[in-house]
């Protein structure tokens, strides 16, 4: 069981490190937002793994809150990007409204 725990910990740490590099180097704000959402999912997976390994259910409310926070954040970024896209396509090349 210890080998599995170490393997999962290493995999989650590598995934977190790679995601952090995408957050830092992301070419656009949407890339950074997606990477932040992935990082939150990795954190949730790490907390769930620790809760399963220790057989302790006290972390479940934290997991629920983090999952809801990730969902609301993703929806908010998607709505912001869609609204910004609509504003960009509704203006002409000189910046005036059609």
């Amino acid at each position: 069981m210890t080998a599995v725990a170490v393997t999962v910990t290493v995999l989650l740490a590598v995934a977190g490190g790679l995601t952090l590099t995408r957050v830092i180097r992301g070419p656009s704000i949407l890339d950074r937002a997606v990477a932040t959402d992935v990082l939150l999912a990795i954190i949730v997976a790490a907390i769930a793994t620790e809760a399963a390994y220790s057989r302790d259910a006290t972390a479940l409310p934290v997991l629920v809150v983090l999952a809801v926070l990730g969902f609301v954040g993703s929806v908010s970024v998607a709505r912001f990007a869609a609204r910004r896209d609509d504003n960009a396509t509704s203006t002409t090349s000189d910046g005036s409204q059609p």
Side-chain angles (χ1 to χ4, degrees):
M1 187 69 171
T2 304
V4 173
V6 169
T7 304
V8 169
T9 302
V10 168
L11 288 174
L12 287 172
V14 168
L18 291 173
T19 305
L20 277 175
T21 55
R22 176 52 56 195
V23 169
I24 294 169
R25 297 181 59 201
S28 71
I29 191 71
L30 288 178
D31 289 330
R32 289 183 172 104
V34 169
T36 304
D37 191 38
V38 170
L39 186 62
L40 184 64
I42 292 169
I43 291 170
V44 167
I47 294 172
T49 302
E50 190 277 328
Y53 182 72
S54 66
R55 296 180 186 230
D56 187 20
T58 58
L60 289 179
V62 174
L63 292 174
V64 171
V65 169
L66 285 175
V68 169
L69 180 69
F71 173 75
V72 171
S74 295
V75 170
S76 300
V77 168
R79 287 185 59 143
F80 173 74
R83 188 169 293 152
R84 191 175 72 178
D85 238 8
D86 288 342
N87 288 340
T89 58
S90 67
T91 58
T92 59
S93 61
D94 62 352
S96 63
Q97 295 290 333

